[in-house]
């Protein structure tokens, strides 16, 4: 074999061998592994109720996208007044699409008791976290700024936003980006972050 051919073989080996070693170390995994599917964290029968909740949350996000599709984009350096105006315009568009919606669209009758039980179980086990939920809560921190438990009601800008323990979040159904869980008094709410509205709520779940 000539010198040029030997150099070509060495170069090819230098390229291929690291790839083979990497594949062997990864157990033959592909170079771009596929992320595992998002599944409900709930075990057993809870997964049925959680799946229903997550489906309803996804439907809300579809309605939200349709309602706000024609809204002008918010400038990156918009001032506070412009941001608030944009937020309220989004809320009004969503509210119009959801006219007549009653509590329980996300927390449906088959879902509500399951989630209520999970919240009570977790907060009963975590005494300090339960106290924190009660203490870091708009009903306690900003009692003069009432947060109305009403579908599509605006969450007041002046009201504080509660804490939600990480351990509890791990046991609750997953929410799409743009929605979040919060507590108002003893009640669990789902809040639309961008529109700053209450999407749905479940009463008297904090023990």
């Amino acid at each position: 074999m000539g010198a040029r051919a030997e150099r070509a073989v060495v170069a090819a080996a230098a390229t291929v061998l690291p790839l083979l070693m990497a594949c062997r170390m990864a157990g033959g995994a592909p170079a771009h592994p596929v992320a595992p599917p998002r599944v409900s964290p709930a075990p057993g029968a809870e997964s049925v109720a959680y799946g229903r909740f997550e489906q309803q949350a996804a439907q809300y996000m579809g309605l939200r996208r349709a309602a706000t599709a024609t809204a002008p984009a918010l400038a990156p350096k918009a001032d506070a007044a412009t941001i608030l105006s944009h937020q309220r315009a989004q809320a009004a568009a969503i509210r119009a699409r959801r006219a007549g919606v009653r509590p329980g669209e996300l927390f449906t009758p088959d879902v509500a008791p399951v989630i209520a039980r999970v919240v009570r179980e977790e907060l009963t086990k975590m005494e300090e976290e339960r106290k924190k939920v009660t203490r870091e809560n708009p009903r306690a921190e900003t009692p003069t700024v009432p947060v109305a438990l009403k579908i599509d009601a605006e969450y007041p800008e002046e009201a504080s936003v509660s804490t939600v323990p990480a351990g509890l979040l791990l046991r609750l159904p997953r929410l799409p980006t743009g929605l979040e869980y919060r507590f108002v008094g003893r009640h669990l709410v789902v809040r639309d972050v961008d529109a700053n509205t209450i999407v749905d709520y479940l009463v008297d779940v904090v023990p």
Side-chain angles (χ1 to χ4, degrees):
M1 181 183 295
R4 180 177 297 178
E6 288 182 358
R7 285 196 298 271
V9 170
V10 171
T15 301
V16 173
L17 286 176
L19 292 176
L20 293 174
M21 292 176 67
C23 288
R24 185 169 184 176
M25 291 175 64
H32 301 287
V34 177
R38 286 169 56 87
V39 295
S40 169
E46 288 178 10
S47 64
V48 176
Y50 278 31
R52 173 68 177 274
F53 179 95
E54 290 164 2
Q55 181 182 40
Q56 294 297 105
Q59 287 181 4
Y60 168 82
M61 293 303 291
L63 177 147
R64 188 195 193 292
R65 284 190 293 272
T68 60
T70 59
L74 190 64
K77 295 184 178 181
D79 58 29
T82 302
I83 293 172
L84 181 59
S85 176
H86 181 267
Q87 189 178 72
R88 287 178 172 168
Q90 285 187 314
I94 295 167
R95 204 172 286 125
R97 290 287 185 112
R98 298 185 83 207
V101 170
R102 300 173 64 83
E105 185 178 62
L106 270 64
F107 296 112
T108 55
D110 57 329
V111 171
V114 176
I115 294 180
R117 174 177 57 78
V118 167
V119 173
R120 293 188 187 111
E121 285 177 358
E122 288 300 308
L123 294 184
T124 298
K125 288 190 301 184
M126 303 182 294
E127 178 65 18
E128 289 303 314
E129 294 290 358
R130 185 185 65 78
K131 291 178 179 178
K132 190 175 181 182
V133 164
T134 304
R135 184 174 63 249
E136 297 179 8
N137 190 298
R139 294 282 172 90
E141 290 187 325
T142 52
T144 60
V145 185
V147 179
L149 285 183
K150 184 179 179 182
I151 297 297
D152 293 325
E154 180 179 355
Y155 194 102
E157 293 288 331
E158 301 82 6
S160 69
V161 180
S162 78
T163 184
V164 180
L168 174 57
L169 287 175
L170 290 175
R171 286 201 62 194
L172 290 174
R174 289 183 173 89
L175 288 173
T177 301
L179 300 183
E180 65 180 11
Y181 293 109
R182 294 295 176 184
F183 288 105
V184 175
R186 297 183 58 238
H187 318 305
L188 179 67
V189 305
V190 174
R191 176 172 171 256
D192 184 320
V193 178
D194 292 332
N196 194 33
T197 54
I198 293 177
V199 178
D200 203 358
Y201 58 89
L202 188 58
V203 300
D204 297 329
V205 295
V206 177

